[in-house]
mmCIF file of all heavy atoms in Angstrom:
data_model
loop_
_atom_site.group_PDB
_atom_site.id
_atom_site.type_symbol
_atom_site.label_atom_id
_atom_site.label_comp_id
_atom_site.label_asym_id
_atom_site.label_seq_id
_atom_site.Cartn_x
_atom_site.Cartn_y
_atom_site.Cartn_z
ATOM 1 N N MET A 14 22.922 23.186 39.433
ATOM 2 C CA MET A 14 23.542 22.464 38.415
ATOM 3 C C MET A 14 22.657 21.795 37.384
ATOM 4 O O MET A 14 22.949 21.812 36.146
ATOM 5 C CB MET A 14 24.441 21.321 39.045
ATOM 6 C CG MET A 14 25.614 21.820 39.842
ATOM 7 S SD MET A 14 26.406 20.535 40.809
ATOM 8 C CE MET A 14 27.005 19.445 39.561
ATOM 9 N N ARG A 15 21.497 21.209 37.819
ATOM 10 C CA ARG A 15 20.613 20.695 36.900
ATOM 11 C C ARG A 15 20.060 21.754 35.951
ATOM 12 O O ARG A 15 19.977 21.605 34.724
ATOM 13 C CB ARG A 15 19.376 19.986 37.648
ATOM 14 C CG ARG A 15 18.424 19.301 36.654
ATOM 15 C CD ARG A 15 16.997 19.459 37.033
ATOM 16 N NE ARG A 15 16.187 19.317 35.852
ATOM 17 C CZ ARG A 15 14.829 19.200 35.973
ATOM 18 N NH1 ARG A 15 14.256 19.088 37.076
ATOM 19 N NH2 ARG A 15 14.090 19.110 34.773
ATOM 20 N N ASP A 16 19.643 22.898 36.550
ATOM 21 C CA ASP A 16 19.067 23.953 35.653
ATOM 22 C C ASP A 16 20.192 24.487 34.696
ATOM 23 O O ASP A 16 19.894 24.700 33.503
ATOM 24 C CB ASP A 16 18.627 25.120 36.548
ATOM 25 C CG ASP A 16 17.303 24.875 37.250
ATOM 26 O OD1 ASP A 16 16.586 24.029 36.754
ATOM 27 O OD2 ASP A 16 17.105 25.462 38.335
ATOM 28 N N LEU A 17 21.472 24.683 35.117
ATOM 29 C CA LEU A 17 22.555 25.221 34.343
ATOM 30 C C LEU A 17 22.825 24.186 33.153
ATOM 31 O O LEU A 17 23.050 24.602 32.076
ATOM 32 C CB LEU A 17 23.733 25.459 35.113
ATOM 33 C CG LEU A 17 23.639 26.666 36.027
ATOM 34 C CD1 LEU A 17 24.929 26.807 36.935
ATOM 35 C CD2 LEU A 17 23.530 28.020 35.232
ATOM 36 N N SER A 18 22.832 22.900 33.479
ATOM 37 C CA SER A 18 23.177 21.944 32.451
ATOM 38 C C SER A 18 22.113 21.910 31.348
ATOM 39 O O SER A 18 22.370 21.797 30.176
ATOM 40 C CB SER A 18 23.345 20.511 33.052
ATOM 41 O OG SER A 18 22.162 20.005 33.626
ATOM 42 N N ASP A 19 20.799 21.951 31.814
ATOM 43 C CA ASP A 19 19.629 22.057 30.870
ATOM 44 C C ASP A 19 19.731 23.269 29.999
ATOM 45 O O ASP A 19 19.608 23.212 28.763
ATOM 46 C CB ASP A 19 18.305 22.019 31.580
ATOM 47 C CG ASP A 19 17.914 20.696 32.211
ATOM 48 O OD1 ASP A 19 18.712 19.651 31.921
ATOM 49 O OD2 ASP A 19 16.967 20.535 32.880
ATOM 50 N N ILE A 20 20.060 24.405 30.616
ATOM 51 C CA ILE A 20 20.067 25.636 29.838
ATOM 52 C C ILE A 20 21.278 25.642 28.879
ATOM 53 O O ILE A 20 21.258 26.187 27.785
ATOM 54 C CB ILE A 20 20.225 26.855 30.771
ATOM 55 C CG1 ILE A 20 18.843 27.016 31.529
ATOM 56 C CG2 ILE A 20 20.538 28.199 30.063
ATOM 57 C CD1 ILE A 20 18.892 27.975 32.709
ATOM 58 N N ALA A 21 22.401 25.070 29.320
ATOM 59 C CA ALA A 21 23.621 25.027 28.440
ATOM 60 C C ALA A 21 23.234 24.220 27.164
ATOM 61 O O ALA A 21 23.638 24.653 26.107
ATOM 62 C CB ALA A 21 24.734 24.283 29.216
ATOM 63 N N VAL A 22 22.596 23.089 27.262
ATOM 64 C CA VAL A 22 22.172 22.348 26.092
ATOM 65 C C VAL A 22 21.240 23.185 25.195
ATOM 66 O O VAL A 22 21.419 23.190 24.027
ATOM 67 C CB VAL A 22 21.604 21.008 26.506
ATOM 68 C CG1 VAL A 22 21.006 20.229 25.206
ATOM 69 C CG2 VAL A 22 22.576 20.134 27.247
ATOM 70 N N ASP A 23 20.200 23.743 25.854
ATOM 71 C CA ASP A 23 19.347 24.552 25.010
ATOM 72 C C ASP A 23 19.992 25.685 24.263
ATOM 73 O O ASP A 23 19.800 25.879 23.055
ATOM 74 C CB ASP A 23 18.236 25.131 25.946
ATOM 75 C CG ASP A 23 17.160 24.144 26.401
ATOM 76 O OD1 ASP A 23 17.027 23.105 25.706
ATOM 77 O OD2 ASP A 23 16.550 24.358 27.390
ATOM 78 N N LEU A 24 20.842 26.373 25.015
ATOM 79 C CA LEU A 24 21.600 27.514 24.383
ATOM 80 C C LEU A 24 22.565 26.993 23.339
ATOM 81 O O LEU A 24 22.843 27.740 22.361
ATOM 82 C CB LEU A 24 22.253 28.370 25.400
ATOM 83 C CG LEU A 24 21.360 29.316 26.209
ATOM 84 C CD1 LEU A 24 22.194 30.101 27.159
ATOM 85 C CD2 LEU A 24 20.455 30.131 25.392
ATOM 86 N N ALA A 25 23.145 25.823 23.509
ATOM 87 C CA ALA A 25 24.116 25.209 22.611
ATOM 88 C C ALA A 25 23.466 25.031 21.235
ATOM 89 O O ALA A 25 23.908 25.429 20.195
ATOM 90 C CB ALA A 25 24.694 23.944 23.039
ATOM 91 N N TYR A 26 22.185 24.371 21.232
ATOM 92 C CA TYR A 26 21.476 24.196 20.012
ATOM 93 C C TYR A 26 21.097 25.558 19.455
ATOM 94 O O TYR A 26 21.056 25.761 18.282
ATOM 95 C CB TYR A 26 20.277 23.285 20.262
ATOM 96 C CG TYR A 26 20.603 21.833 20.348
ATOM 97 C CD1 TYR A 26 20.492 21.137 21.563
ATOM 98 C CD2 TYR A 26 21.169 21.185 19.274
ATOM 99 C CE1 TYR A 26 20.735 19.791 21.644
ATOM 100 C CE2 TYR A 26 21.506 19.845 19.304
ATOM 101 C CZ TYR A 26 21.272 19.176 20.490
ATOM 102 O OH TYR A 26 21.640 17.831 20.578
ATOM 103 N N SER A 27 20.710 26.557 20.322
ATOM 104 C CA SER A 27 20.310 27.840 19.875
ATOM 105 C C SER A 27 21.442 28.582 19.182
ATOM 106 O O SER A 27 21.208 29.203 18.135
ATOM 107 C CB SER A 27 19.870 28.722 21.146
ATOM 108 O OG SER A 27 19.582 29.979 20.745
ATOM 109 N N SER A 28 22.678 28.408 19.648
ATOM 110 C CA SER A 28 23.845 29.056 19.048
ATOM 111 C C SER A 28 23.993 28.533 17.611
ATOM 112 O O SER A 28 24.412 29.270 16.656
ATOM 113 C CB SER A 28 25.051 28.855 19.833
ATOM 114 O OG SER A 28 25.552 27.472 19.815
ATOM 115 N N LEU A 29 23.706 27.218 17.434
ATOM 116 C CA LEU A 29 23.845 26.648 16.078
ATOM 117 C C LEU A 29 22.742 27.114 15.127
ATOM 118 O O LEU A 29 22.991 27.530 13.996
ATOM 119 C CB LEU A 29 23.661 25.117 16.142
ATOM 120 C CG LEU A 29 24.849 24.348 16.617
ATOM 121 C CD1 LEU A 29 24.567 22.912 16.919
ATOM 122 C CD2 LEU A 29 26.007 24.428 15.520
ATOM 123 N N MET A 30 21.529 27.219 15.699
ATOM 124 C CA MET A 30 20.329 27.632 14.909
ATOM 125 C C MET A 30 20.447 29.115 14.511
ATOM 126 O O MET A 30 19.983 29.545 13.426
ATOM 127 C CB MET A 30 19.077 27.375 15.704
ATOM 128 C CG MET A 30 18.845 25.910 15.959
ATOM 129 S SD MET A 30 17.596 25.656 17.260
ATOM 130 C CE MET A 30 16.149 25.845 16.263
ATOM 131 N N LEU A 31 20.986 29.888 15.453
ATOM 132 C CA LEU A 31 21.174 31.341 15.168
ATOM 133 C C LEU A 31 22.481 31.722 14.490
ATOM 134 O O LEU A 31 22.690 32.787 14.037
ATOM 135 C CB LEU A 31 21.050 32.170 16.430
ATOM 136 C CG LEU A 31 19.741 32.053 17.244
ATOM 137 C CD1 LEU A 31 19.899 32.590 18.602
ATOM 138 C CD2 LEU A 31 18.647 32.649 16.510
ATOM 139 N N GLY A 32 23.405 30.726 14.468
ATOM 140 C CA GLY A 32 24.763 30.963 13.957
ATOM 141 C C GLY A 32 25.402 32.031 14.792
ATOM 142 O O GLY A 32 26.144 32.887 14.263
ATOM 143 N N SER A 33 25.204 31.972 16.065
ATOM 144 C CA SER A 33 25.569 33.073 16.948
ATOM 145 C C SER A 33 26.703 32.747 17.814
ATOM 146 O O SER A 33 26.638 31.878 18.704
ATOM 147 C CB SER A 33 24.405 33.559 17.836
ATOM 148 O OG SER A 33 24.843 34.481 18.783
ATOM 149 N N THR A 34 27.915 33.282 17.589
ATOM 150 C CA THR A 34 29.037 33.063 18.482
ATOM 151 C C THR A 34 28.811 33.768 19.848
ATOM 152 O O THR A 34 29.414 33.270 20.894
ATOM 153 C CB THR A 34 30.307 33.747 17.821
ATOM 154 O OG1 THR A 34 30.101 35.097 17.626
ATOM 155 C CG2 THR A 34 30.727 32.942 16.671
ATOM 156 N N GLU A 35 27.974 34.739 19.912
ATOM 157 C CA GLU A 35 27.635 35.455 21.125
ATOM 158 C C GLU A 35 26.910 34.439 22.020
ATOM 159 O O GLU A 35 27.196 34.345 23.268
ATOM 160 C CB GLU A 35 26.766 36.669 20.843
ATOM 161 C CG GLU A 35 26.455 37.519 22.068
ATOM 162 C CD GLU A 35 25.650 38.678 21.700
ATOM 163 O OE1 GLU A 35 24.844 38.676 20.811
ATOM 164 O OE2 GLU A 35 25.799 39.688 22.381
ATOM 165 N N VAL A 36 25.920 33.737 21.536
ATOM 166 C CA VAL A 36 25.146 32.826 22.310
ATOM 167 C C VAL A 36 26.080 31.614 22.731
ATOM 168 O O VAL A 36 26.021 31.092 23.810
ATOM 169 C CB VAL A 36 23.877 32.291 21.581
ATOM 170 C CG1 VAL A 36 23.211 31.215 22.425
ATOM 171 C CG2 VAL A 36 23.003 33.346 21.254
ATOM 172 N N ALA A 37 27.003 31.279 21.800
ATOM 173 C CA ALA A 37 27.973 30.218 22.094
ATOM 174 C C ALA A 37 28.835 30.556 23.272
ATOM 175 O O ALA A 37 29.145 29.711 24.153
ATOM 176 C CB ALA A 37 28.841 29.863 20.852
ATOM 177 N N GLU A 38 29.270 31.784 23.272
ATOM 178 C CA GLU A 38 30.116 32.274 24.412
ATOM 179 C C GLU A 38 29.318 32.297 25.753
ATOM 180 O O GLU A 38 29.873 32.069 26.819
ATOM 181 C CB GLU A 38 30.626 33.719 24.115
ATOM 182 C CG GLU A 38 31.697 33.794 23.055
ATOM 183 C CD GLU A 38 32.901 33.035 23.330
ATOM 184 O OE1 GLU A 38 33.100 32.709 24.603
ATOM 185 O OE2 GLU A 38 33.651 32.823 22.398
ATOM 186 N N GLU A 39 27.955 32.508 25.649
ATOM 187 C CA GLU A 39 27.098 32.419 26.867
ATOM 188 C C GLU A 39 27.150 31.037 27.388
ATOM 189 O O GLU A 39 27.152 30.832 28.645
ATOM 190 C CB GLU A 39 25.718 32.815 26.463
ATOM 191 C CG GLU A 39 25.541 34.323 26.251
ATOM 192 C CD GLU A 39 24.068 34.615 25.814
ATOM 193 O OE1 GLU A 39 23.175 33.784 26.054
ATOM 194 O OE2 GLU A 39 23.819 35.756 25.327
ATOM 195 N N VAL A 40 27.236 29.974 26.518
ATOM 196 C CA VAL A 40 27.271 28.613 26.988
ATOM 197 C C VAL A 40 28.586 28.439 27.729
ATOM 198 O O VAL A 40 28.592 27.729 28.766
ATOM 199 C CB VAL A 40 27.094 27.676 25.784
ATOM 200 C CG1 VAL A 40 27.389 26.228 26.249
ATOM 201 C CG2 VAL A 40 25.741 27.809 25.073
ATOM 202 N N ARG A 41 29.704 28.922 27.228
ATOM 203 C CA ARG A 41 30.928 28.860 27.885
ATOM 204 C C ARG A 41 30.891 29.439 29.267
ATOM 205 O O ARG A 41 31.417 28.957 30.298
ATOM 206 C CB ARG A 41 32.095 29.516 27.106
ATOM 207 C CG ARG A 41 32.399 28.738 25.735
ATOM 208 C CD ARG A 41 33.313 27.619 26.107
ATOM 209 N NE ARG A 41 33.416 26.613 25.002
ATOM 210 C CZ ARG A 41 34.317 26.660 24.057
ATOM 211 N NH1 ARG A 41 35.186 27.634 23.923
ATOM 212 N NH2 ARG A 41 34.315 25.663 23.068
ATOM 213 N N GLU A 42 30.180 30.629 29.385
ATOM 214 C CA GLU A 42 30.081 31.234 30.654
ATOM 215 C C GLU A 42 29.221 30.400 31.632
ATOM 216 O O GLU A 42 29.504 30.323 32.895
ATOM 217 C CB GLU A 42 29.365 32.639 30.520
ATOM 218 C CG GLU A 42 30.238 33.645 29.799
ATOM 219 C CD GLU A 42 29.528 34.952 29.463
ATOM 220 O OE1 GLU A 42 28.433 35.193 30.010
ATOM 221 O OE2 GLU A 42 30.005 35.781 28.755
ATOM 222 N N ILE A 43 28.148 29.735 31.158
ATOM 223 C CA ILE A 43 27.331 28.946 31.916
ATOM 224 C C ILE A 43 28.119 27.701 32.396
ATOM 225 O O ILE A 43 27.968 27.243 33.517
ATOM 226 C CB ILE A 43 26.074 28.502 31.140
ATOM 227 C CG1 ILE A 43 25.155 29.627 30.906
ATOM 228 C CG2 ILE A 43 25.375 27.319 31.818
ATOM 229 C CD1 ILE A 43 23.970 29.432 30.027
ATOM 230 N N GLU A 44 29.048 27.188 31.528
ATOM 231 C CA GLU A 44 29.785 25.996 31.907
ATOM 232 C C GLU A 44 30.761 26.467 33.077
ATOM 233 O O GLU A 44 30.918 25.561 33.947
ATOM 234 C CB GLU A 44 30.616 25.557 30.696
ATOM 235 C CG GLU A 44 31.413 24.203 31.023
ATOM 236 C CD GLU A 44 32.410 23.925 29.979
ATOM 237 O OE1 GLU A 44 32.796 24.737 29.231
ATOM 238 O OE2 GLU A 44 32.803 22.671 29.919
ATOM 239 N N GLU A 45 31.241 27.639 33.026
ATOM 240 C CA GLU A 45 32.124 28.073 34.119
ATOM 241 C C GLU A 45 31.338 28.133 35.455
ATOM 242 O O GLU A 45 31.846 27.759 36.474
ATOM 243 C CB GLU A 45 32.736 29.456 33.711
ATOM 244 C CG GLU A 45 33.782 29.403 32.690
ATOM 245 C CD GLU A 45 34.346 30.813 32.318
ATOM 246 O OE1 GLU A 45 34.044 31.706 33.097
ATOM 247 O OE2 GLU A 45 35.063 30.957 31.352
ATOM 248 N N ALA A 46 30.099 28.722 35.375
ATOM 249 C CA ALA A 46 29.332 28.768 36.577
ATOM 250 C C ALA A 46 28.964 27.365 37.017
ATOM 251 O O ALA A 46 28.971 27.114 38.238
ATOM 252 C CB ALA A 46 28.058 29.573 36.193
ATOM 253 N N PHE A 47 28.672 26.556 36.111
ATOM 254 C CA PHE A 47 28.311 25.105 36.486
ATOM 255 C C PHE A 47 29.555 24.417 37.254
ATOM 256 O O PHE A 47 29.425 23.779 38.203
ATOM 257 C CB PHE A 47 28.023 24.239 35.228
ATOM 258 C CG PHE A 47 27.761 22.883 35.560
ATOM 259 C CD1 PHE A 47 26.569 22.298 35.811
ATOM 260 C CD2 PHE A 47 28.854 21.902 35.580
ATOM 261 C CE1 PHE A 47 26.340 20.937 36.035
ATOM 262 C CE2 PHE A 47 28.677 20.551 35.795
ATOM 263 C CZ PHE A 47 27.361 20.106 36.074
ATOM 264 N N ASN A 48 30.748 24.692 36.706
ATOM 265 C CA ASN A 48 31.925 24.120 37.222
ATOM 266 C C ASN A 48 32.203 24.572 38.737
ATOM 267 O O ASN A 48 32.635 23.724 39.596
ATOM 268 C CB ASN A 48 33.189 24.427 36.360
ATOM 269 C CG ASN A 48 33.147 23.741 35.109
ATOM 270 O OD1 ASN A 48 32.531 22.651 34.949
ATOM 271 N ND2 ASN A 48 33.915 24.215 34.063
ATOM 272 N N LYS A 49 31.763 25.788 39.071
ATOM 273 C CA LYS A 49 31.891 26.280 40.405
ATOM 274 C C LYS A 49 31.028 25.521 41.284
ATOM 275 O O LYS A 49 31.338 25.145 42.438
ATOM 276 C CB LYS A 49 31.710 27.794 40.379
ATOM 277 C CG LYS A 49 32.804 28.569 39.764
ATOM 278 C CD LYS A 49 32.444 30.127 39.745
ATOM 279 C CE LYS A 49 33.465 30.882 39.003
ATOM 280 N NZ LYS A 49 33.162 32.360 39.025
ATOM 281 N N PHE A 50 29.760 25.337 40.833
ATOM 282 C CA PHE A 50 28.774 24.601 41.681
ATOM 283 C C PHE A 50 29.161 23.142 41.830
ATOM 284 O O PHE A 50 29.019 22.523 42.870
ATOM 285 C CB PHE A 50 27.424 24.696 41.045
ATOM 286 C CG PHE A 50 26.651 25.995 41.345
ATOM 287 C CD1 PHE A 50 26.536 26.907 40.269
ATOM 288 C CD2 PHE A 50 26.192 26.282 42.622
ATOM 289 C CE1 PHE A 50 25.845 28.119 40.552
ATOM 290 C CE2 PHE A 50 25.545 27.515 42.786
ATOM 291 C CZ PHE A 50 25.368 28.351 41.870
ATOM 292 N N ASN A 51 29.749 22.623 40.716
ATOM 293 C CA ASN A 51 30.221 21.206 40.692
ATOM 294 C C ASN A 51 31.351 21.021 41.744
ATOM 295 O O ASN A 51 31.333 20.025 42.521
ATOM 296 C CB ASN A 51 30.704 20.839 39.324
ATOM 297 C CG ASN A 51 30.943 19.362 39.172
ATOM 298 O OD1 ASN A 51 30.322 18.487 39.845
ATOM 299 N ND2 ASN A 51 31.872 19.001 38.288
ATOM 300 N N TYR A 52 32.284 21.887 41.782
ATOM 301 C CA TYR A 52 33.370 21.902 42.744
ATOM 302 C C TYR A 52 32.862 21.820 44.100
ATOM 303 O O TYR A 52 33.235 21.050 45.008
ATOM 304 C CB TYR A 52 34.405 22.979 42.469
ATOM 305 C CG TYR A 52 35.374 23.169 43.547
ATOM 306 C CD1 TYR A 52 36.529 22.344 43.583
ATOM 307 C CD2 TYR A 52 35.212 24.052 44.625
ATOM 308 C CE1 TYR A 52 37.422 22.429 44.643
ATOM 309 C CE2 TYR A 52 36.166 24.217 45.619
ATOM 310 C CZ TYR A 52 37.320 23.349 45.646
ATOM 311 O OH TYR A 52 38.173 23.449 46.610
ATOM 312 N N GLN A 53 31.949 22.809 44.390
ATOM 313 C CA GLN A 53 31.364 22.971 45.758
ATOM 314 C C GLN A 53 30.554 21.757 46.153
ATOM 315 O O GLN A 53 30.544 21.333 47.299
ATOM 316 C CB GLN A 53 30.565 24.252 45.807
ATOM 317 C CG GLN A 53 30.246 24.755 47.196
ATOM 318 C CD GLN A 53 31.521 25.097 47.956
ATOM 319 O OE1 GLN A 53 32.375 25.827 47.462
ATOM 320 N NE2 GLN A 53 31.585 24.594 49.204
ATOM 321 N N THR A 54 29.832 21.173 45.122
ATOM 322 C CA THR A 54 29.018 19.950 45.455
ATOM 323 C C THR A 54 29.901 18.874 45.950
ATOM 324 O O THR A 54 29.641 18.148 46.905
ATOM 325 C CB THR A 54 28.221 19.589 44.247
ATOM 326 O OG1 THR A 54 27.279 20.625 43.985
ATOM 327 C CG2 THR A 54 27.569 18.257 44.429
ATOM 328 N N TRP A 55 31.007 18.629 45.203
ATOM 329 C CA TRP A 55 31.898 17.583 45.608
ATOM 330 C C TRP A 55 32.523 17.803 46.979
ATOM 331 O O TRP A 55 32.601 16.916 47.836
ATOM 332 C CB TRP A 55 33.100 17.457 44.546
ATOM 333 C CG TRP A 55 32.726 16.659 43.346
ATOM 334 C CD1 TRP A 55 31.887 17.032 42.314
ATOM 335 C CD2 TRP A 55 33.125 15.356 43.036
ATOM 336 N NE1 TRP A 55 31.817 16.058 41.403
ATOM 337 C CE2 TRP A 55 32.553 14.971 41.758
ATOM 338 C CE3 TRP A 55 33.917 14.333 43.766
ATOM 339 C CZ2 TRP A 55 32.727 13.721 41.215
ATOM 340 C CZ3 TRP A 55 34.128 13.131 43.146
ATOM 341 C CH2 TRP A 55 33.500 12.804 41.903
#
């Protein structure tokens, strides 16, 4: 979860810098993966 949250922030800024919707969608995918780990952690 820590690694995914860090990467999500990095890629979020990357999507802005690149103007890339593709990278932005990757962040959404990472968020989905994070949510699964979050549910399991709770």
Side-chain angles (χ1 to χ4, degrees):
M14 286 170 67
R15 185 219 153 165
D16 287 333
L17 287 173
S18 65
D19 286 352
I20 291 167
V22 173
D23 284 337
L24 287 183
Y26 282 114
S27 178
S28 69
L29 282 169
M30 297 164 81
L31 299 168
S33 172
T34 55
E35 185 178 32
V36 175
E38 291 295 346
E39 287 177 17
V40 175
R41 290 278 166 91
E42 292 174 11
I43 289 172
E44 187 190 22
E45 290 180 10
F47 176 92
N48 288 338
K49 291 178 182 178
F50 281 108
N51 190 28
Y52 170 81
Q53 196 61 48
T54 293
W55 278 74

